[in-house]
Amino acid sequence: MILAYQQVPFIPIPNLKIGVTPASNPHQVAFSLQILLLLTVLTLAPSILVLMTSFTRIIIVLSFLQQALGTQQIPSSQILIGFSLFLTYVTMYPTLSLMNKQALQPYLHGKLSEVRALKKASGPLRQFMLKQTREKDLALILRMAHAPQPKTPNDVSLALVIPAFAMSEFKTAFQIGFVLFIPFMIIDMVVASTLMSLGMLMLPPVMISLPFKILLFVLVDGWRLVVGSLWLSFK
């Protein structure tokens, strides 16, 4: 028996070269720097999202709410983060609209350069952060950086506004979290005192108080109250 073999066509293997070659014109150097800057921005994107938007306050408050309810991982961290991202988009929508109108669209139509577009985009974001920033926090950051006293808010460097804004967000989020803890803590204290007076020392109070805390949260429409309070907390 004779087997006929069909000749397989040769598949060329591409040659991959990695190296640094001299640029033939300044345009190639500028393009390479733009790619490097874009990669740097993409690397810092999570930090920008967390520290320059309303995401920090929202996720901290929702985490406090989860701890106050005592539901452990319900809702899970992934759900809280996803919900916080969409709430961040809603609260930041006016600022994002201004950035799109003043910087992104003119840049896409060739009316602004990269530097001017970035400067235009930082304006609405700076105004949003300064509205949420306490003067004491901003003054502390300025003293730490040995920066001169600014004449107007626009004179403050964006690199100094970001840590001051983050400090103010931490304080505001912890204040809201403390208020959330009070009604649930009262329920825990009442249940613990009742079980102790009945002599049920071996029964965990958390097991009894958890259904009452969930019932209270549902009856008062807790999610609407928390989300509405978060939205109103932004100036």
Side-chain angles (χ1 to χ4, degrees):
M1 181 177 181
I2 301 176
L3 298 178
Y5 293 93
Q6 184 179 3
Q7 185 177 4
V8 179
F10 176 73
I11 301 176
I13 301 176
N15 185 17
L16 181 62
K17 293 182 179 180
I18 300 176
V20 179
T21 58
S24 59
N25 54 70
H27 178 71
Q28 294 181 354
V29 178
F31 184 71
S32 301
L33 292 177
Q34 290 177 359
I35 294 177
L36 180 61
L37 180 61
L38 178 61
L39 293 177
T40 304
V41 172
L42 291 177
T43 304
L44 298 176
S47 300
I48 294 174
L49 174 64
V50 169
L51 295 180
M52 298 179 66
T53 63
S54 57
F55 179 82
T56 301
R57 183 187 306 185
I58 294 173
I59 190 62
I60 291 177
V61 171
L62 294 182
S63 298
F64 270 120
L65 176 62
Q66 185 186 48
Q67 294 294 326
L69 282 171
T71 54
Q72 301 301 325
Q73 295 298 322
I74 302 175
S76 63
S77 301
Q78 292 82 0
I79 295 177
L80 288 182
I81 292 175
F83 186 52
S84 300
L85 287 173
F86 280 100
L87 288 181
T88 301
Y89 172 76
V90 173
T91 54
M92 295 293 297
Y93 181 77
T95 303
L96 295 177
S97 298
L98 285 176
M99 295 172 64
N100 178 63
K101 181 179 179 181
Q102 298 178 6
L104 181 59
Q105 292 303 322
Y107 171 72
L108 294 177
H109 289 84
K111 298 180 181 179
L112 291 177
S113 62
E114 292 87 347
V115 177
R116 288 183 57 85
L118 185 61
K119 186 176 181 180
K120 284 282 188 180
S122 63
L125 190 59
R126 181 200 303 271
Q127 294 299 323
F128 170 79
M129 291 192 292
L130 287 175
K131 287 181 181 179
Q132 319 301 325
T133 304
R134 293 177 173 83
E135 294 183 2
K136 294 182 179 180
D137 297 334
L138 185 58
L140 174 62
I141 296 299
L142 291 175
R143 288 199 303 269
M144 292 173 60
H146 301 285
Q149 188 69 22
K151 296 181 181 180
T152 62
N154 293 328
D155 296 335
V156 184
S157 173
L158 191 63
L160 300 180
V161 175
I162 294 174
F165 168 73
M167 290 174 57
S168 300
E169 289 294 282
F170 293 156
K171 183 176 181 179
T172 304
F174 273 68
Q175 289 175 343
I176 299 175
F178 173 76
V179 175
L180 287 175
F181 256 98
I182 292 178
F184 301 111
M185 183 176 61
I186 293 176
I187 294 178
D188 286 334
M189 294 175 60
V190 170
V191 171
S193 301
T194 303
L195 292 178
M196 186 176 296
S197 63
L198 295 176
M200 300 180 180
L201 301 179
M202 301 301 295
L203 184 63
V206 178
M207 185 181 301
I208 306 300
S209 63
L210 179 59
F212 289 100
K213 290 191 289 187
I214 295 177
L215 179 62
L216 172 66
F217 190 71
V218 172
L219 290 177
V220 300
D221 199 0
W223 286 111
R224 185 183 63 84
L225 291 177
V226 172
V227 173
S229 299
L230 277 172
W231 177 65
L232 292 176
S233 67
F234 292 100
K235 301 176 184 179

